């Protein structure tokens, strides 16, 4: 089966001009030089203190020298305003477009070869599918935004505006380090110092993890408790599936939110990373 869904809560910003790559490279968490037609990069825009502010997929327009940012529609104005503050004398223009965003997963859908479709694999996980930018909503869409939402929740993929807390969340807490959202070799960018320090000092105290519940999950921000202790927080959800910030040491404990049992469903990619981190920590403590 192939699935294609229009995502009406997403929008596209265009960055044009000779300095577009250099300009964006100094502001976002990932390596913009890797963007090319057919290859998108997922990156975050941080505060100067290294906290999440926005994230987006960066595409290269195959028909003109232009970068395209697939971002949350609710953040377009903020992103354009923020980037424009850093433009100074750079040869760039930053403006919204009328392109619409789609997600595809499963088998390759026919629209992938449609004329004027700008597309690339979702760079976060192989099973995530593809991102597509089209001139108008696809008439061949076989799914909707709610079905895509369930798909990404099961995989553990964050939706920035719903899963990250503005000017509070660290990128490693939202698994940007494990989902190809950070370049550790590109050099400086806004907020880079705290992001690097968090990694090298092992300061990640919580992670965004898929969870399931016996009842529809409560609203974003609902505390998750283990006994009489607050150990996490519910983020985005769809019926009985969702994401939550939790401390890794409580994954095996009895957890509740709003009186209902919460069960972490740790994906393989996250479990492997947590295991490696624990082995490294134990080795440092024993001097191995």
């Amino acid at each position: 089966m192939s699935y294609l869904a229009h995502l009406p809560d997403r929008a596209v910003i265009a960055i044009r001009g000779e300095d577009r790559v250099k300009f964006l490279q100094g502001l976002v968490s990932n390596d913009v030089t890797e963007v090319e037609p057919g290859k998108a990069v997922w990156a975050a825009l941080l505060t100067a203190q290294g906290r999440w502010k926005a994230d987006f997929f960066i595409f290269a327009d195959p028909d003109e020298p232009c970068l395209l940012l697939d971002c949350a529609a609710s953040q377009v104005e903020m992103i354009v305003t923020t980037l424009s503050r850093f433009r100074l004398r750079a040869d760039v223009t930053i403006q919204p477009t009328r392109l619409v965003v789609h997600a595809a997963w499963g088998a390759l859908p026919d629209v992938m070869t449609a004329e004027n479709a700008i597309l690339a694999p979702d760079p976060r996980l192989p099973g995530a599918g593809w991102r597509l930018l089209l001139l108008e909503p696809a008439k061949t869409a076989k799914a909707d935004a709610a079905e895509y939402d369930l798909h990404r929740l099961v995989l553990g993929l964050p939706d920035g505006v719903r899963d990250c807390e503005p000017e509070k969340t660290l990128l490693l807490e939202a698994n940007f380090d494990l989902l190809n959202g950070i370049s550790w070799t590109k050099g400086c960018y806004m907020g880079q110092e705290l992001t690097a320090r968090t990694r090298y000092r092992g300061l990640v105290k919580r992670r965004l993890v898929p969870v399931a519940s016996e009842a529809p999950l409560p609203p974003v921000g609902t505390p998750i408790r283990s006994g009489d202790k607050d150990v996490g927080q519910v983020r985005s959800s769809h019926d009985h599936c969702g994401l939550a910030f939790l401390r890794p040491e409580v994954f095996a404990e009895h957890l509740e939110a709003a009186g209902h049992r919460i069960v972490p469903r740790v994906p393989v990619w996250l479990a492997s990373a947590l295991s490696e981190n624990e082995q490294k920590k134990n080795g440092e403590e024993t001097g191995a």
Side-chain angles (χ1 to χ4, degrees):
M1 290 289 292
S2 63
Y3 300 90
L4 176 69
H6 171 221
L7 306 182
D9 61 346
R10 305 290 294 183
V12 181
I13 298 169
I15 301 180
R16 297 181 173 88
E18 289 296 321
D19 297 332
R20 63 192 182 282
V21 173
K22 180 181 178 181
F23 166 74
L24 201 58
Q25 180 80 326
L27 295 174
V28 302
S29 65
N30 217 335
D31 191 349
V32 184
T33 65
E34 293 189 0
V35 178
E36 58 186 42
K39 181 181 180 181
V41 162
W42 184 49
L45 179 66
L46 305 179
T47 66
Q49 293 74 34
R51 310 286 176 163
W52 179 90
K53 191 168 186 175
D55 63 83
F56 32 72
F57 298 90
I58 308 172
F59 291 77
D61 190 319
D63 298 321
E64 64 169 309
C66 175
L67 295 176
L68 299 167
L69 310 186
D70 161 7
C71 64
S74 62
Q75 291 196 302
V76 167
E77 184 177 352
M78 181 275 289
I79 292 172
V80 171
T81 300
T82 300
L83 295 180
S84 296
R85 289 196 188 112
F86 294 95
R87 188 166 59 87
L88 302 177
R89 296 183 179 181
D91 179 13
V92 293
T93 61
I94 307 161
Q95 56 189 177
T97 76
R98 294 185 178 181
L99 293 171
V100 293
V101 180
H102 293 67
W105 64 102
L108 201 67
D110 293 339
V111 74
M112 299 290 280
T113 58
E115 186 177 358
N116 296 323
I118 300 173
L119 58 96
D122 187 318
R124 294 174 293 180
L125 287 175
W130 299 268
R131 307 288 295 192
L132 299 89
L133 311 181
L134 300 172
L135 296 174
E136 60 184 15
K139 297 181 176 61
T140 56
K142 297 179 181 179
D144 58 23
E147 289 173 278
Y148 172 72
D149 205 34
L150 182 59
H151 170 68
R152 69 148 189 106
L153 288 168
V154 170
L155 290 175
L157 302 176
D159 179 342
V161 292
R162 298 166 63 197
D163 292 313
C164 297
E165 300 163 282
E167 302 188 12
K168 181 178 179 180
T169 298
L170 301 175
L171 289 192
L172 276 68
E173 293 176 333
N175 301 320
F176 277 71
D177 56 325
L178 307 178
L179 294 170
N180 302 311
I182 303 173
S183 169
W184 301 109
T185 60
K186 61 171 276 186
C188 295
Y189 56 90
M190 188 166 63
Q192 181 262 349
E193 183 178 352
L194 178 62
T195 303
R197 189 165 67 245
T198 302
R199 179 197 188 197
Y200 293 120
R201 293 186 180 179
L203 300 176
V204 188
K205 296 181 179 179
R206 61 177 187 168
R207 286 281 187 174
L208 193 66
V209 62
V211 295
S213 174
E214 59 191 15
L217 283 155
V220 168
T222 301
I224 298 175
R225 299 178 64 82
S226 174
D228 59 355
K229 300 180 299 181
D230 282 353
V231 296
Q233 183 188 98
V234 175
R235 299 310 295 171
S236 67
S237 64
H238 182 86
D239 293 334
H240 299 254
C241 296
L243 295 176
F245 280 123
L246 286 171
R247 299 204 304 265
E249 63 267 24
V250 305
F251 286 174
E253 297 181 10
H254 182 92
L255 306 175
E256 292 187 354
H260 296 286
R261 177 82 186 275
I262 299 291
V263 180
R265 302 294 190 190
V266 185
V268 171
W269 56 265
L270 177 55
S272 298
L274 294 176
S275 177
E276 289 177 6
N277 288 342
E278 189 62 26
Q279 291 175 14
K280 179 180 178 181
K281 179 181 177 181
N282 292 337
E284 291 173 349
E285 291 176 350
T286 60

